[in-house]
Structures are given as C-alpha cells and as structure tokens.
Amino acid sequence: MQIHANNLALNAGRGPVYGPLTFDTNGGLTVLRGDPGSGRTALLLTLAGRMRPDSGSLTVGGHHLPRQLRAVQKISSVAGFVGIDSLEESVTVGAALRERLAWLAPWWSIVRSPNDVAVARLCSPIFGNEPIPHADTVIWDLAESQQFLLRLVLATLSAPELLLVDDIEQLRNTASRSIIWARLADLAASGTHVVVCASSFDDQLWADLGIAPALIDMNLQPADVNPRVENPAEVNPAEVNPPAVGPALLTMAAAASSEHLTAQSEPIKESH
C-alpha cells in the first residue's frame, strides 16, 4: 500500500486549503503533521478518496485519483473525524457494533446484536490487552481511550488496506494517546497502512513505545522544494464514503455538501 503525491493541492473560495504537497509513503505507520487549519483533515479525506484535489497527481495503492475514487474508497476507511465517525454516546457498545455489522452485511441477512463473547471477538484485534467493554455498556461510560479504540474497531470491520486517523490530539490525556499509538503501531505491523494526523510529533511517547513511524511535515514544505517522508531513525529530508453506518450512531459532516466532496448517496456496500 503505497501513496505517491506530487504537487497535490486543494483550494476553496477563500484561498488554499492545502498544498502544493509532494510526498511518498510505503506502508506501515505514517504520521502527517500539520497545524490546525493547515488543511490536514482535508488532505486525509483526499487520500481516502472522499475529496477531490484541484491540482497535482495522487496515486493510492496503485489507483489514480481522482479518476479512480471508487476503487480507493473500497480499500480505505477513516476514524477520528469529528462529525463523520463520532459515536452516539447514549447507545450501547453492542448496538454500535450491530449497526456497523448490519451495514456491511448483505441486505437480506439478519444481524443480531452481539453478546459479550462476540464483542470480545470483534474488539480484540484492536483493543489488544486493553479492557474490552461488555456489550451492554453505554458508550458515555467508556474511558476516553476505549471510545477511540471502539471507533477504530468500527472503522476496521471492513478490513481496509488503508486506515486514516484524524487529530490524535483529541485525546488530551498522554496515557490515552500512548495506548492508541501502541495499538495503531500493532495494526500497522499486521499489514494495514495507517496514516495518522497530528499537530506535533510525540517523539518521547514513540521512544517509550519502541515505535518509529515515517513522518511527513506539512509545515516544512517550501514552494520550491519537494520534501519527502523522513524516517526518525535516519533523518533524510528527501522527502469519506465515510464509514457507512446508520444515523443512530453517526452524524455526517457538514462539509459533505462541499463541491469537493464526492457524492455519498450510494455508499459502496462491498467494502463499507
């Protein structure tokens, strides 16, 4: 799962949203750093085939965007996006999982709400050694890290090749971020390409966890230079169909009406 971007840019009525940006990724865990307002969320949605860039070239997993948006949507999933995969806090963990499973299942199948055994089976690949909640646990009773892990579970039930995670700093607690970084690193090690958006690099946390993600810094891309991905161990600057679930769980982003967003009226059930 490689991503190749060359002079990728998106503009809106009030000016540039992001870019031009040039970078390459080669799978594993990649961290995309950008200040709030730098267009980092829009960039992640572009990589997921949910937004159309204005200029430049982009290839994701061998698919050329924007010409092959649908192909990229089938192999990608997103998590951590406010208004896209936000959880409805008044429902239970079992209800959240059932709704996602129902969306992924054939239209004619009957999907029952999972019990504790089924919840443990579905959540264990993402939760790892973290405590897995019971099926009847109401989402607002979950710890911050558990809520975020549940969002990752919902995003990965479709077995995406590419997972894009927005704004890791929405986890205000350092211990919570440490848990999520560790689980994302394990997910990346299992074969899923994980791209995480952040305001700053958590160098100390990564050192403590023994992980070394590839880095892309949106803030260090001068107009006349094409920085590439940097490996922290060897610094060498060469440089949404959103998860489809029902209205009981998620609120679609207001940005979905933007002219840059692709039509979402017919979600792709083969993948999501």
Side-chain angles (χ1 to χ4, degrees):
M1 170 53 67
Q2 297 179 327
I3 299 174
H4 306 289
N6 184 39
N7 291 321
L8 190 68
L10 174 64
N11 296 280
R14 296 185 179 182
V17 177
Y18 64 73
L21 301 170
T22 297
F23 57 86
D24 299 312
T25 73
N26 294 295
L29 177 61
T30 299
V31 178
L32 173 69
R33 189 184 91 82
D35 294 333
S38 63
R40 60 191 189 178
T41 298
L43 177 58
L44 287 185
L45 291 174
T46 302
L47 299 181
R50 277 69 168 179
M51 298 187 77
R52 294 176 179 269
D54 287 331
S55 60
S57 63
L58 176 62
T59 304
V60 177
H63 303 292
H64 299 281
L65 294 170
R67 183 165 53 88
Q68 296 177 298
L69 284 172
R70 290 284 178 160
V72 173
Q73 291 169 4
K74 287 182 178 182
I75 63 173
S76 65
S77 191
V78 299
F81 288 73
V82 175
I84 292 181
D85 73 315
S86 301
L87 295 170
E88 173 53 61
E89 294 187 340
S90 62
V91 304
T92 64
V93 170
L97 288 167
R98 182 201 171 279
E99 189 166 5
R100 178 64 171 153
L101 291 170
W103 178 265
L104 295 172
W107 64 268
W108 41 262
S109 63
I110 298 175
V111 179
R112 293 180 173 83
S113 189
N115 57 20
D116 286 347
V117 174
V119 168
R121 175 177 54 82
L122 293 168
C123 292
S124 59
I126 296 297
F127 274 70
N129 293 325
E130 296 302 314
I132 297 175
H134 294 291
D136 61 356
T137 302
V138 179
I139 288 175
W140 62 42
D141 289 330
L142 297 179
E144 179 185 48
S145 59
Q146 289 179 308
Q147 288 198 25
F148 204 88
L149 288 171
L150 181 59
R151 294 167 79 176
L152 295 177
V153 170
L154 296 172
T156 55
L157 286 177
S158 59
E161 297 178 44
L162 172 64
L163 175 65
L164 299 121
V165 182
D166 192 30
D167 190 17
I168 194 73
E169 278 94 5
Q170 65 186 278
L171 295 160
R172 303 300 182 185
N173 186 283
T174 302
S176 295
R177 284 206 313 279
S178 178
I179 291 170
I180 301 304
W181 278 125
R183 300 313 306 143
L184 290 175
D186 281 354
L187 180 62
S190 71
T192 302
H193 185 14
V194 181
V195 180
V196 185
C197 175
S199 297
S200 59
F201 294 140
D202 272 333
D203 303 273
Q204 188 57 55
L205 270 182
W206 299 336
D208 294 341
L209 294 170
I211 61 176
L215 309 177
I216 302 172
D217 196 333
M218 296 175 63
N219 301 333
L220 297 179
Q221 296 220 19
D224 58 341
V225 176
N226 290 333
R228 319 297 291 185
V229 173
E230 297 178 357
N231 188 311
E234 182 181 310
V235 178
N236 178 21
E239 219 193 48
V240 195
N241 300 333
V245 295
L249 296 184
L250 307 184
T251 303
M252 293 302 295
S257 61
S258 166
E259 61 180 356
H260 297 291
L261 285 174
T262 58
Q264 307 294 333
S265 58
E266 297 180 2
I268 304 170
K269 294 199 66 175
E270 296 89 347
S271 166
H272 299 289

